[in-house]
Amino acid sequence: FVIVGMGIISQWIVTPISNSGFGLDTSGDSSTANNLQLLLILRVARLLKLARAVRLMSQFRLLWKLVRGLWSAVEALMWAVVLATVMIYSFAIAGVEILANQDWNEAEEELVEIHFGTVSKSMLTLIQIMTLDSWAAIARPMATKY
């Protein structure tokens, strides 16, 4: 009852008053601003109550299972991102070290500096190659060396 009552108060009384500007100062540390923030927190609590009620409805059970499955897949996706980042970082360091010690002509030297001059440039280039985004423009001049 309290959540519903606060919802009615915040929706029908506080929102019109704050929108019309009846002297409510919502800036700074005034008690009015703190009370309005408390009412906004109670709005979020109403949404959580609604989400719990929707979860219990039989029509939404399949949707809830889908949401839980997607949420559990996020952990595996995050570990894949961490693994890919570590691998790209490792190969970027190796690329900077190996390509810096090669004898390049002037045009190739400029290309190496643009794409593999620093570790961050090298990581960006490796991501570009990994996603096949114009990778031939990078790989072809390097491949003519060997």
Side-chain angles (χ1 to χ4, degrees):
F1 177 72
V2 173
I3 293 176
V4 173
M6 283 293 137
I8 291 171
I9 290 172
S10 70
Q11 190 67 32
W12 291 346
I13 298 171
V14 175
T15 302
I17 289 174
S18 64
N19 288 342
S20 64
F22 282 125
L24 289 177
D25 182 22
T26 58
S27 63
D29 293 329
S30 68
S31 62
T32 307
N34 291 337
N35 290 337
L36 288 176
Q37 288 177 353
L38 178 64
L39 288 175
L40 290 176
I41 291 172
L42 289 175
R43 278 186 181 181
V44 172
R46 277 189 3 207
L47 286 174
L48 293 175
K49 184 178 178 182
L50 179 66
R52 187 181 64 158
V54 166
R55 183 186 62 160
L56 296 175
M57 294 177 70
S58 63
Q59 295 90 349
F60 291 101
R61 286 216 171 118
L62 185 60
L63 177 66
W64 191 251
K65 285 181 184 179
L66 179 66
V67 169
R68 281 191 316 177
L70 289 173
W71 188 251
S72 64
V74 167
E75 182 182 4
L77 288 173
M78 291 309 298
W79 280 114
V81 167
V82 168
L83 180 64
T85 304
V86 168
M87 288 179 59
I88 288 173
Y89 182 71
S90 301
F91 282 106
I93 292 173
V96 168
E97 290 296 320
I98 291 171
L99 293 174
N101 295 330
Q102 297 294 322
D103 293 327
W104 302 102
N105 64 27
E106 191 173 316
E108 292 169 342
E109 183 72 35
E110 182 181 346
L111 185 69
V112 169
E113 180 60 36
I114 290 171
H115 294 294
F116 295 98
T118 62
V119 174
S120 59
K121 288 180 184 179
S122 184
M123 286 180 71
L124 184 62
T125 302
L126 289 176
I127 290 171
Q128 183 178 357
I129 291 171
M130 183 178 74
T131 58
L132 300 176
D133 178 31
S134 302
W135 68 275
I138 299 166
R140 193 169 309 277
M142 302 287 178
T144 58
K145 174 81 172 166
Y146 299 102

